[in-house]
Amino acid sequence: MMNAAECRAKSEPDIAAVAADAVGGHAIGRPTVYVYEAPVRICHWVNAFSIVALMMTGYLIGMPLPSVEGEASANFDMDYIRFAHFAAGQVLAVFFLTRVFWAFVGNHHSRQIFYLPVHRKQFWGEMLDEIRWYAFLEHKPKMYVGHNPLARTGMFTGFTLFVAYMIITGFALYSEGTGIDSWQHKLFGWVFAIWPNSQDVHTWHHLGMWALVTFVIVHVYAAVREDIMSRQGIISSMVSGERQFRD
């Protein structure tokens, strides 16, 4: 019979092996790996709520509420909506820059969504495997500690590029109200050199909102699907920071 110490040693995971995964190794047969640091998780959720607020208020700005009778001072709803949109946009900009900063000082996984290793043949092979897995053509998923190649590509495109584009065009439009002497115009006024007509900037910014809506829907679906089918603790990893491999 095993004594208490032997039983405890058998039930506990190999700490050295788990720690090794924090720098990007594959996690096969290892129960829990610490992946996403606290700043990454905080930025993720603040950015998520900011984007939802921006999409809701942005839609209402593009499709305003019906006009109502009475004094303008008694019908200030659109101004509140615009204020919420501007506030959420500035919060998003601050935490997006914070997320970029943490990519330089955080662990390996904090940098994944800011570049794609397109020069590596392995990346494209793993991408094809993930496409087959999402298309229900593979019976078992491959196990990744951080983002899989397809998710990484989606985050780079749908979050990094789209959000940067929305911040730039959003502040350019905001500079129309603050004037040419404002820091917004000095940093983002060059957008009007590309689209001299302000309405064109409004249109492309509005189309960017629908691109973000599409990304959010796909992102949430993929996260829930992976949590259920791959049993790799995708959603919980953005709460605790730990990726759990249940199988």
Side-chain angles (χ1 to χ4, degrees):
M1 296 180 63
M2 294 187 295
N3 58 35
E6 291 173 331
C7 290
R8 185 167 59 254
K10 185 176 180 180
S11 62
E12 291 178 351
D14 184 348
I15 301 301
V18 172
D21 263 328
V23 296
H26 288 277
I28 299 178
R30 300 167 189 172
T32 303
V33 185
Y34 185 68
V35 180
Y36 300 117
E37 300 162 303
V40 173
R41 304 196 307 273
I42 292 170
C43 288
H44 174 274
W45 291 112
V46 172
N47 288 337
F49 287 118
S50 297
I51 289 171
V52 171
L54 284 163
M55 290 190 300
M56 294 173 63
T57 54
Y59 175 80
L60 292 173
I61 290 171
M63 300 286 290
L65 298 171
S67 299
V68 293
E69 298 179 355
E71 293 293 331
S73 60
N75 299 282
F76 218 51
D77 294 339
M78 285 307 301
D79 198 69
Y80 292 134
I81 291 170
R82 289 177 73 251
F83 173 78
H85 190 77
F86 297 155
Q90 294 182 46
V91 170
L92 176 64
V94 169
F95 278 85
F96 180 80
L97 290 176
T98 302
R99 183 65 182 84
V100 173
F101 167 75
W102 197 257
F104 290 96
V105 300
N107 65 16
H108 164 74
H109 303 290
S110 67
R111 295 185 282 275
Q112 283 189 316
I113 66 172
F114 292 101
Y115 73 96
L116 298 176
V118 294
H119 60 285
R120 291 172 47 201
K121 182 178 180 181
Q122 180 184 357
F123 175 80
W124 293 107
E126 292 175 341
M127 172 84 79
L128 180 59
D129 289 337
E130 289 303 312
I131 292 174
R132 289 178 55 83
W133 163 246
Y134 279 92
F136 299 96
L137 298 176
E138 294 286 347
H139 297 293
K140 291 184 179 181
K142 289 191 173 182
M143 302 177 75
Y144 297 90
V145 176
H147 291 294
N148 67 59
L150 187 60
R152 183 174 179 176
T153 302
M155 289 298 296
F156 174 76
T157 305
F159 175 75
T160 303
L161 296 185
F162 281 2
V163 170
Y165 162 81
M166 294 299 283
I167 290 173
I168 291 170
T169 54
F171 273 105
L173 292 170
Y174 189 74
S175 72
E176 291 187 303
T178 56
I180 60 174
D181 293 327
S182 65
W183 65 265
Q184 291 93 344
H185 189 273
K186 291 176 181 177
L187 289 179
F188 303 101
W190 55 267
V191 170
F192 296 107
I194 301 174
W195 295 295
N197 188 336
S198 174
Q199 185 56 49
D200 290 340
V201 183
H202 278 275
T203 299
W204 286 107
H205 188 71
H206 188 75
L207 290 174
M209 178 199 74
W210 288 112
L212 273 180
V213 169
T214 303
F215 165 73
V216 169
I217 293 172
V218 173
H219 178 63
V220 172
Y221 162 75
V224 173
R225 179 189 185 277
E226 284 299 280
D227 220 42
I228 295 172
M229 297 191 64
S230 71
R231 297 178 56 78
Q232 295 182 28
I234 305 296
I235 297 174
S236 60
S237 67
M238 269 300 162
V239 178
S240 65
E242 296 179 340
R243 176 67 61 82
Q244 296 180 352
F245 297 88
R246 302 186 184 98
D247 291 336

